[in-house]
């Protein structure tokens, strides 16, 4: 690792005049949540050492600090993806920075394709576990003194936080089901045969992010929650060809619901930190 996460964390401390303990990564379909934030500080990713600008539509690439309701939070608007050609080290670097900064809990959000037939377009899924089929592990080769790379992944997604996501969904009239998220590298969507195989493996939804960040966040001792927006039914389940534009469009349509879930989630969990 060339840039120490402590240097980037020091930059955040200098720029942000208060100290949030919760961070939320806003993926495709969740950008709208930032309109709920009373923004106090806005930092372009290019101002944070080691962060890379995100080049995909729907991902502006900036960190906002402020309050949602009365809860101080950091919002990471946009993430770098493995499918853009970045290394696992690069795309998970923000997790190391958040841990150094003093964040206790991270909510990772993403767009996903629904595999489980109970999931409908526009539903939400609280991730209960994952299957990593990205073809690599973000801890491979990252060897630093005193850091354990043999991280236990038997409870990556904090059960209490997951219950809070489901409860927040009920309170705001949104469907939030529990389910297993399967990560692929992308950038292509899957074949129908792959989706049938993933269903047999026990996956409920498929996406191209979140898992590397969740692994590194656990290595750093953060509590982790993840919320997927089912922006489409997966290949072979969907009568139409899949397109990134459709994923973004559905995300925009479900944005208000996503914001309500996240606001409720913060209300339920902030007091437990
Ligand atoms: N597959 C993979 N990633 C995705 C999908 C999908 O169907 N929808 C949104 N992200």
């Amino acid at each position: 690792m060339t840039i120490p996460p402590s240097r980037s964390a020091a930059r955040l401390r200098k720029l942000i005049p208060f100290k949030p303990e919760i961070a939320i990564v806003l993926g495709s379909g969740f950008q709208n949540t930032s309109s709920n934030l009373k923004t106090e500080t806005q930092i372009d990713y290019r101002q944070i050492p080691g962060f890379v600008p995100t080049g995909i539509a729907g991902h502006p690439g900036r960190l906002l600090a402020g309050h949602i309701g009365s809860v101080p939070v950091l919002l990471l608007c946009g993430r770098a993806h493995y499918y853009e050609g970045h290394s696992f080290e690069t795309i998970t670097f923000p997790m190391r920075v958040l841990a150094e900064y003093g964040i206790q809990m991270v909510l990772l959000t993403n767009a996903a394709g629904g595999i489980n037939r109970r999931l409908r377009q526009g539903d939400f899924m609280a991730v209960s576990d994952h299957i990593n089929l990205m073809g690599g592990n973000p801890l491979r080769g990252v060897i630093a003194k005193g850091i354990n790379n043999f991280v236990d992944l038997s409870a990556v997604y904090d059960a209490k936080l997951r219950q809070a996501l489901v409860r927040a969904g009920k309170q705001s009239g949104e469907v939030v089901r529990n389910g297993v998220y399967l990560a692929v590298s992308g950038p292509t969507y899957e074949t129908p045969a792959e989706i049938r195989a993933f269903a047999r493996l026990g996956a409920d939804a498929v996406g191209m992010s979140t898992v590397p960040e969740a692994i590194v966040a656990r290595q750093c001792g953060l509590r982790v929650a993840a919320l997927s927006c089912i922006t489409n039914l997966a290949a072979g389940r969907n009568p139409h060809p899949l397109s990134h534009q459709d994923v973004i469009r559905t995300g925009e349509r479900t944005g208000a619901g996503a914001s309500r879930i996240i606001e409720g989630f913060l209300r339920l969990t902030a007091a437990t930190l």
Side-chain angles (χ1 to χ4, degrees):
M1 233 173 284
T2 43
I3 295 168
S6 55
R7 203 175 118 207
S8 315
R11 174 73 54 86
L12 297 187
R13 260 180 237 117
K14 204 165 140 206
L15 293 171
I16 302 167
F18 57 105
K19 189 75 195 311
E21 294 189 334
I22 299 176
I24 307 175
V25 178
L26 299 180
S28 315
F30 286 88
Q31 297 300 327
N32 200 27
T33 300
S34 60
S35 59
N36 261 7
L37 182 82
K38 268 182 265 122
T39 304
E40 278 135 86
T41 310
Q42 178 169 324
I43 308 169
D44 193 298
Y45 281 174
R46 283 170 296 203
Q47 290 174 263
I48 312 170
F51 275 48
V52 290
T54 56
I56 297 296
H59 299 163
R62 58 194 180 147
L63 184 147
L64 306 178
H67 289 76
I68 293 181
S70 59
V71 183
V73 287
L74 292 187
L75 293 190
L76 280 72
C77 305
R79 54 156 67 87
H81 291 90
Y82 186 61
Y83 62 68
E84 293 173 88
H86 299 298
S87 66
F88 281 118
E89 195 176 333
T90 297
I91 64 172
T92 56
F93 183 75
M95 296 300 113
R96 299 193 186 281
V97 175
L98 293 179
E100 277 282 341
Y101 174 80
I103 290 294
Q104 304 290 314
M105 171 190 123
V106 65
L107 171 63
L108 304 167
T109 67
N110 59 57
I115 295 178
N116 187 315
R117 292 190 188 278
R118 293 181 66 201
L119 288 169
R120 307 242 170 267
Q121 189 181 37
D123 285 354
F124 292 90
M125 185 181 90
V127 177
S128 57
D129 204 349
H130 73 230
I131 298 172
N132 179 10
L133 289 185
M134 290 186 86
N137 188 299
L139 304 189
R140 176 175 178 266
V142 180
I143 299 161
K145 245 209 214 126
I147 292 187
N148 171 28
N149 272 351
F150 299 100
V151 177
D152 172 49
L153 297 183
S154 44
V156 176
Y157 304 92
D158 187 289
K160 287 218 164 69
L161 298 182
R162 182 157 45 85
Q163 284 157 14
L165 283 170
V166 174
R167 246 176 92 197
K170 283 206 180 101
Q171 289 172 359
S172 54
E174 299 295 327
V175 178
V176 181
R177 299 189 190 281
N178 287 290
V180 172
Y181 176 93
L182 184 145
V184 291
S185 72
T188 61
Y189 292 108
E190 300 69 38
T191 64
E194 285 168 341
I195 294 300
R196 287 195 299 275
F198 295 167
R200 288 186 162 215
L201 290 178
D204 296 297
V206 58
M208 304 177 193
S209 68
T210 300
V211 164
E213 291 151 303
I215 291 172
V216 171
R218 287 305 302 143
Q219 181 184 41
C220 297
L222 300 182
R223 292 174 73 193
V224 175
L227 180 66
S228 300
C229 173
I230 305 300
T231 50
N232 57 280
L233 300 185
R237 308 277 207 249
N238 196 319
H240 313 293
L242 305 182
S243 84
H244 185 62
Q245 274 321 310
D246 287 346
V247 167
I248 301 288
R249 232 174 277 134
T250 307
E252 280 166 7
R253 271 213 318 275
T254 54
S259 298
R260 282 196 298 273
I261 296 169
I262 289 177
E263 205 176 333
F265 170 76
L266 290 173
R267 219 179 311 115
L268 292 167
T269 55
T272 69
L273 288 182

